[in-house]
């Protein structure tokens, strides 16, 4: 089967690099499915889940925004921050979500409001990806307060 090279980097580290069958990314204009030999494009990404299909495996990664370059044989993502589902610290994301909600309730200045909204979006994206992947595990359900 035809595959496509996928690389995901942040300013801190190489998060993923391998040949995959398909990439599903949270584009700023909506979800984008990329197969090998896709038309070249450059797009912004919003906070959300990036999924990779590789054989029977599906890899789930949360990204907090960034850019994606698509070439027919290679896709490169430069993300602000990214964690594979199993790397997400749920307690930390929950704490970040609470902090952001408190800041939004305090209705600070516009700049602070925008920052709190962005922070809330990152935390919610992390919790969604962690939740979707770990639901069958059981113990994490409690961590998530379900
Ligand atoms: P926090 O307020 O908890 O730092 P944040 O949204 O401000 O959250 P980012 O600026 O997006 O954090 O990321 C900073 C670094 O911390 C990145 O390396 C990112 O991968 C990591 N990181 C942030 N939150 C988590 C989390 N819940 N689990 C694992 N890594 C995280």
């Amino acid at each position: 089967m035809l595959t496509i090279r996928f690389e995901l980097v942040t300013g801190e580290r190489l998060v993923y690099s391998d040949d995959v069958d398909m990439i599903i990314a949270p584009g700023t204009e909506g979800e984008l499915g990329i197969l090998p030999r896709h038309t070249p494009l450059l797009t912004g990404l919003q906070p959300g889940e990036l999924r990779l299909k590789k054989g029977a495996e599906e890899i789930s990664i949360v990204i907090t925004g960034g850019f994606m370059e698509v070439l027919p044989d290679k896709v490169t993502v430069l993300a602000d921050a990214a964690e594979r589902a199993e790397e997400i610290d749920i307690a930390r994301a929950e704490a970040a979500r609470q902090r952001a909600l408190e800041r939004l309730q305090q209705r600070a200045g516009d700049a602070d409001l925008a920052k709190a909204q962005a922070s809330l979006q990152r935390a919610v994206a992390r919790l969604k990806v962690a939740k979707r992947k770990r639901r069958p595990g059981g113990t994490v359900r409690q961590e998530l307060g379900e």
Side-chain angles (χ1 to χ4, degrees):
M1 190 175 167
L2 208 59
T3 58
I4 184 162
R5 187 84 189 158
F6 177 77
E7 277 188 10
L8 194 166
V9 292
T10 68
E12 294 172 348
R13 65 186 178 123
L14 174 67
V15 179
Y16 194 94
S17 174
D18 203 356
D19 294 331
V20 299
D21 302 327
M22 186 181 185
I23 298 137
I24 300 155
T28 44
E29 311 283 314
E31 200 161 68
L32 277 169
I34 312 288
L35 290 165
R37 298 201 182 132
H38 196 282
T39 317
L41 67 88
L42 185 64
T43 183
L45 298 174
Q46 59 179 334
E49 183 180 33
L50 188 144
R51 282 180 290 151
L52 303 171
K53 299 204 179 199
K54 186 175 162 62
E57 206 186 346
E58 188 174 300
I59 296 121
S60 174
I61 301 173
V62 65
I63 59 159
T64 63
F67 292 92
M68 177 169 74
E69 179 194 50
V70 178
L71 297 174
D73 60 348
K74 184 176 181 189
V75 171
T76 309
V77 169
L78 177 58
D80 300 333
E83 298 105 46
R84 286 179 65 144
E86 61 273 16
E87 291 174 332
I88 298 171
D89 178 336
I90 293 174
R92 177 174 168 178
E94 185 54 47
R97 191 178 76 94
Q98 286 300 338
R99 271 199 312 277
L101 283 174
E102 279 160 26
R103 293 210 310 266
L104 286 173
Q105 274 161 7
Q106 286 159 7
R107 295 192 178 275
D110 282 355
D112 285 348
L113 213 61
K115 265 195 187 171
Q117 264 158 358
S119 175
L120 181 62
Q121 258 194 312
R122 294 195 297 274
V124 166
R126 285 183 169 117
L127 290 169
K128 261 194 195 160
V129 172
K131 199 169 182 171
R132 212 170 74 77
K133 280 286 143 179
R134 298 184 202 183
R135 192 176 286 277
T139 50
V140 180
R141 280 182 97 125
Q142 289 171 353
E143 265 185 75
L144 289 163
E146 287 184 350

